[in-house]
Amino acid sequence: MTPTNYELVVDCCLLAGRLMMESGAETYRAEDTMDRMAISQQLTESQSFVMPTGIIFSGNKTLPTKLVRINNRSTD
């Protein structure tokens, strides 16, 4: 996987997780969705950590980890 493709996959996973958290989803559902999205793109060693205020995501052990902050949240 090229670095550009890796970045696109990670950005898509983070976007999905952020949208879910902003819409009131449970943290485990956001983590599960992000992991499933990564696996579908051959990132089988992905790790996600979702909190109500932020998401940390890594596609594998050697490439960069990214963080996104959750500013607006709602509870469903």
Side-chain angles (χ1 to χ4, degrees):
M1 176 171 287
T2 66
T4 304
N5 288 345
Y6 171 80
E7 239 182 277
L8 181 62
V9 171
V10 169
D11 287 344
C12 287
C13 291
L14 284 169
L15 176 62
R18 183 176 59 85
L19 290 174
M20 290 179 73
M21 291 306 296
E22 287 177 349
S23 298
E26 295 94 346
T27 56
Y28 76 92
R29 289 189 187 272
E31 286 178 350
D32 184 55
T33 299
M34 293 168 64
D35 288 340
R36 288 173 186 260
M37 288 176 66
I39 289 169
S40 76
Q41 298 299 312
Q42 288 75 47
L43 291 178
T44 57
E45 296 181 9
S46 66
Q47 297 287 318
S48 61
F49 182 67
V50 178
M51 301 165 285
T53 57
I55 300 173
I56 302 170
F57 184 81
S58 176
N60 64 30
K61 297 176 183 174
T62 59
L63 293 169
T65 299
K66 285 192 156 188
L67 165 78
V68 66
R69 183 160 175 80
I70 309 296
N71 292 320
N72 301 320
R73 298 183 308 269
S74 65
T75 303
D76 188 10

